[in-house]
Structures are given as structure tokens and as C-alpha cells.
Amino acid sequence: MHPFDEALALSCVSNGPWIGKPHANYTNMVGPFGGLTSALLLKAALDDERRVNDPVALTVNFCGGLSQNEFRIETRLQRGGKYTQHWSAELHQDDEVKATASIVFGKRGDVFSHQTVTPPTVPPPDACDAIPKGMPLRWIDSYSFRFADALPQFTGKAFDELQSSRSVLWVADDPPRPLDWLSLAALGDNFFLRLLHLRGSLPPMGTVSLTTYFHATADEIAAQGDYPLLGVADAKRFHANFADQHMELWSRDGTLLASGVQVAWYKA
Amino acid sequence: MHPFDEALALSCVSNGPWIGKPHANYTNMVGPFGGLTSALLLKAALDDERRVNDPVALTVNFCGGLSQNEFRIETRLQRGGKYTQHWSAELHQDDEVKATASIVFGKRGDVFSHQTVTPPTVPPPDACDAIPKGMPLRWIDSYSFRFADALPQFTGKAFDELQSSRSVLWVADDPPRPLDWLSLAALGDNFFLRLLHLRGSLPPMGTVSLTTYFHATADEIAAQGDYPLLGVADAKRFHANFADQHMELWSRDGTLLASGVQVAWYKA
């Protein structure tokens, strides 16, 4: 069994609450990295027998770091319609709300289709430098990150001059795993906070809220298999303790599979 | 009293539930336009005496169109911390959930600040063409829209060829009203759906989920006064009944006050 699937194992009697436990392979500074938490919240709604259609939008609010203890996810079908279904979810642990989420599922059909954007042109994954294994944060080892530009430095030393906050890289589960909604949700939070790329230094920081839109239809996800996704991430403004970040995840053939934004807190 | 403040009038005994009624000046196809609904949900949390600090992130999920009846907003303080406060909110009407929201407030301080982006260079508001008054949808008359590019057409007739999905325009309350968090929240949904700009035609469509990040600190909002904001909006992918949209709202002096994304459903 792939570690990601182990990490997503949730038990329940019937349609929740869903019980799980943080998986050691996805540990970040405090608790699991946000992408896993996002995937867990999505999975609880996805596995509910009342759920119909495909994920369209996922917003996760990170209220507090998770401990290594068991957690409970409660989902609520807020509204179902002909075309969309709206869910809310909460992750509880240690008698506190650790994360909340809203999830939209939608009926996808064969109608007008148009993509206004194109991915950057970069060398194939094998020709890009990978972040070496053995990182102190376990979740980083659970993915392969192959940067088209320079590799990020994790020394914590500030650059002499601010650098670009933009990254272009190939990302994939490591070991490889065929793409599905859950891994796509996790990959949406799979970019290092832009402050690291911009400043080099590592002040206390963390994602506060994350929104991911799933543009891909099921056929496009199946076509991707376990080939790395091309990721692009950047930020617009760092100001007064909060910074935004936006990302795109592209298929191997230049289809935009997902896009998203997040806002992160930073201390100094 | 400004119509926007009339529209935001909410009554409650103590910290909710908050009772309100849709205002005729902000009517869209079905119920009020989403920006007003977003501002109402933000206001309910903002007015709660337990709320501390400034809005950082707002996600609103539109579950169903509002009627003209009274509605009730219920808020919940999910988690408070030293730096952030997480709220959930629900708007109920006619015994249904019509909208849900998550709202993050954050403590803003004088730390590292950097903006990576710049606004487009455009003529001042007075030199741009305005959408004429007397539009069938009342909410449009409640704002001034001055387009740096060509004005959108509301004929419903498809273009012979797809046009650009990008818009650059000056937006403001009409009559003018000094900017605050609430009007900034409403302006975040103040862009026509990109499909209109791209195709010209008007199939059934509507915003499903909206996320707005407030980059502005209180001093920047005060400095803006009632001068129009420069808005930029575009989309990345229209596919299988859903399309994303992203926007920026700029101050008169080139400061990014807010950015955001939304996903909209379209029928054909």
C-alpha cells in the first residue's frame, strides 16, 4: 500500500464522523503538512455515500497544528442541487477544531471548453535538479520536487538581495502513485511558502487558508497516470504578517488540472 | 444613508443570529449579487464583540439564490489564537442554507513588506468609458464601471470569434462611499463573469465559490477614500461546466489592496 493511501485511511460506522491518525511520512513542522490535511477533509466528503459528482472547489482553513493523536472529521452536506453539492467539514483533535473546510462537487459535462493560459516551457523532469532525500521534514521526502530553476536552500540564511518568489518545478508522489482527486488536492499545497524563495530566511510561518480549484475532469486525471505534474507558484504581496501565494498544476500535455491560492502568516 | 449601508443593516440581540433583508438596489438575476452576500457574511463576524483584528481571508460558497425574504446569518468562532481568528458563517433563508463562509481575521504588524506585482498602466477613471446607467440588473447601477478596454456588451449575442477574457477597469460605489472592509469584500465579486467577455453570449451561469484575500491594512484603506479602485480580472480555464476567475483590486497609488479567485458554473 502506498504511504499516501495509508495516511488517508479513515474509519467510520456510516457517513462519519471519520476517524484517522497522522501518518509519520507526512510530518511537517507541526503535525502533517497542509496538503495531507486537505486531502483528508476532501476524502471524508468524497467517501460519503450521499456525495455525487466530482470535486470542483476545496477551501481549507488551518486553525491550529495537529498533534500525533487520533483525529475526527465531521462532514455536513449543506446543500445539494442539480449541478452542485456544497459540503462543510471540520477536523477535531484534542478537543479543539484544527481545520475547517468547504467543498463543492459539480456535475461535469461536454460543453464549451477553452483554456486561456499555457504552461511555461521547461526541460523534462529527468533534466531538472531534484531536492535531495533525507530532509528533516518527512513530508518533503514523500514527494519528488524537480526544479526548472535553482533549487531552494533550506539553510535559513537570508539572501543578500531578495530573489524571485516564482518557482517552476515538476512534482510527484514519491514513490510514484497514479494521480487522483486526493493526491491532486495534496499537491495543491505542495509548494514551499514563497517567503523562503524570496528571502531565504525561515521566520515562523504557516498557511492559514488554502483554496484549490479542480479544473480536471476524471478522464484527464486518468490520462496523467503517475507522470509528474508541472507546478508553477508565485506570490503578489507580503505585507503586515500575511502573504498570498498562487499556484497552477499542469498535466504533461499542457492541460491546467488545478489552480489555487493560499494566504500564509509570517512572523517577521 | 448610503444604499450599501442600508443593504448591510443587520439586527441581532447579542452576537447573532443576525437578521437582514435583501436590498432592492443590489438585485442580480436571482437575489442580491454575490458581493453583497459576501459583505453581509463578513459584517456578521466583524460586528461580533469577540472579533479581534482585521479581515485577512474570506471564502463564500453560494449554495442557492436568495429570495426577497428576510434571512438569518449564524456565525461561529471556530478558533481564536494569538495571531489569527477563524470564523464560520451560514446564511439561512426560507428554511434553506443559501450561503456558507469562512473568515479569517489576523493581527497586522509592522514587519517585512514586499509587493512583487505592479498594476497595469491605464488612463485615469474620467478618461475611461463607463457602463451607462439603467441596466436591467439593479446591482450594476449601484457601481460605476469605467473600462480601460472596450465596454462589455450585454446583448447576449455570441461574438464571431472568442475575445480576451481579461478586463481592466476602475470600479467604485455609486454614489461614492469611502472604502472599508465591507465594500472591499463586495468589490471582490464586482467583475462580470469572464464568459461574457470571452464569448459574448449569456448562457445560465453563476458563481459557486469565491475567495478574497485582504492585503490592505487599515491605513491603506483609509488613504483610498472614495477614489475608484483599479480592478483587473481574468480566467484560466473554462471546462466541463465550470470556469475559474481571478482578480486584483489596486489603490490609486499602485498598492494591491485585495486579490481573489472564484469558480463559476455555466450551463452550455
Side-chain angles (χ1 to χ4, degrees), chain A residues 61 76 78-79 86 90 97 102 108-109 112-114 116 220 235-241 248 266, chain B residues 61-62 76 78-79 86 90 97 102 108-109 112-114 116 220 235-241 248 266:
Chain A
N61 292 282
R76 194 144 52 109
Q78 292 277 13
R79 189 80 184 271
H86 289 265
E90 294 178 7
V97 176
S102 60
R108 315 296 303 240
F112 175 78
S113 183
H114 180 68
T116 68
E220 294 170 342
K236 294 179 180 175
R237 192 170 186 215
F238 306 79
H239 184 60
N241 300 102
E248 294 168 354
Y266 62 96
Chain B
N61 293 281
F62 301 97
R76 193 143 52 108
Q78 292 277 14
R79 190 80 183 272
H86 288 265
E90 293 178 7
V97 177
S102 61
R108 315 298 302 243
F112 175 79
S113 183
H114 180 67
T116 69
E220 294 169 342
K236 294 179 177 176
R237 192 170 186 214
F238 306 77
H239 184 59
N241 299 102
E248 295 167 353
Y266 62 96

Side-chain angles (χ1 to χ4, degrees), chain A residues 12 217 265:
Chain A
C12 87
T217 38
W265 169 83

Side-chain angles (χ1 to χ4, degrees), chain B residues 47-147:
Chain B
D47 284 357
D48 192 299
E49 60 196 19
R50 294 165 296 172
R51 190 267 309 172
V52 288
N53 299 318
D54 294 344
V56 167
L58 168 67
T59 292
V60 179
N61 293 281
F62 301 97
C63 306
L66 270 75
S67 70
Q68 288 307 310
N69 297 330
E70 197 174 84
F71 56 77
R72 183 180 85 248
I73 298 177
E74 290 173 3
T75 56
R76 193 143 52 108
L77 175 56
Q78 292 277 14
R79 190 80 183 272
K82 195 169 167 186
Y83 304 111
T84 55
Q85 210 180 42
H86 288 265
W87 291 77
S88 294
E90 293 178 7
L91 189 150
H92 295 258
Q93 187 193 51
D94 304 335
D95 296 320
E96 288 180 320
V97 177
K98 295 289 178 81
T100 65
S102 61
I103 307 158
V104 181
F105 296 96
K107 189 170 166 56
R108 315 298 302 243
D110 185 17
V111 295
F112 175 79
S113 183
H114 180 67
Q115 185 174 296
T116 69
V117 283
T118 51
T121 304
V122 295
D126 286 351
C128 294
D129 286 341
I131 291 182
K133 294 295 166 184
M135 295 295 289
L137 300 174
R138 288 288 302 278
W139 77 273
I140 301 178
D141 278 359
S142 295
Y143 290 95
S144 83
F145 300 88
R146 293 170 181 275
F147 280 75

Side-chain angles (χ1 to χ4, degrees), chain B residues 13 152 155-156 208 253:
Chain B
V13 178
T155 60
V208 170
D253 67 353

Side-chain angles (χ1 to χ4, degrees), chain B residues 162-181:
Chain B
L162 294 182
Q163 301 293 309
S164 169
S165 54
R166 184 167 184 261
S167 295
V168 179
L169 66 155
W170 295 97
V171 287
D173 285 290
D174 188 5
R177 178 183 176 279
L179 189 69
D180 61 13
W181 302 115

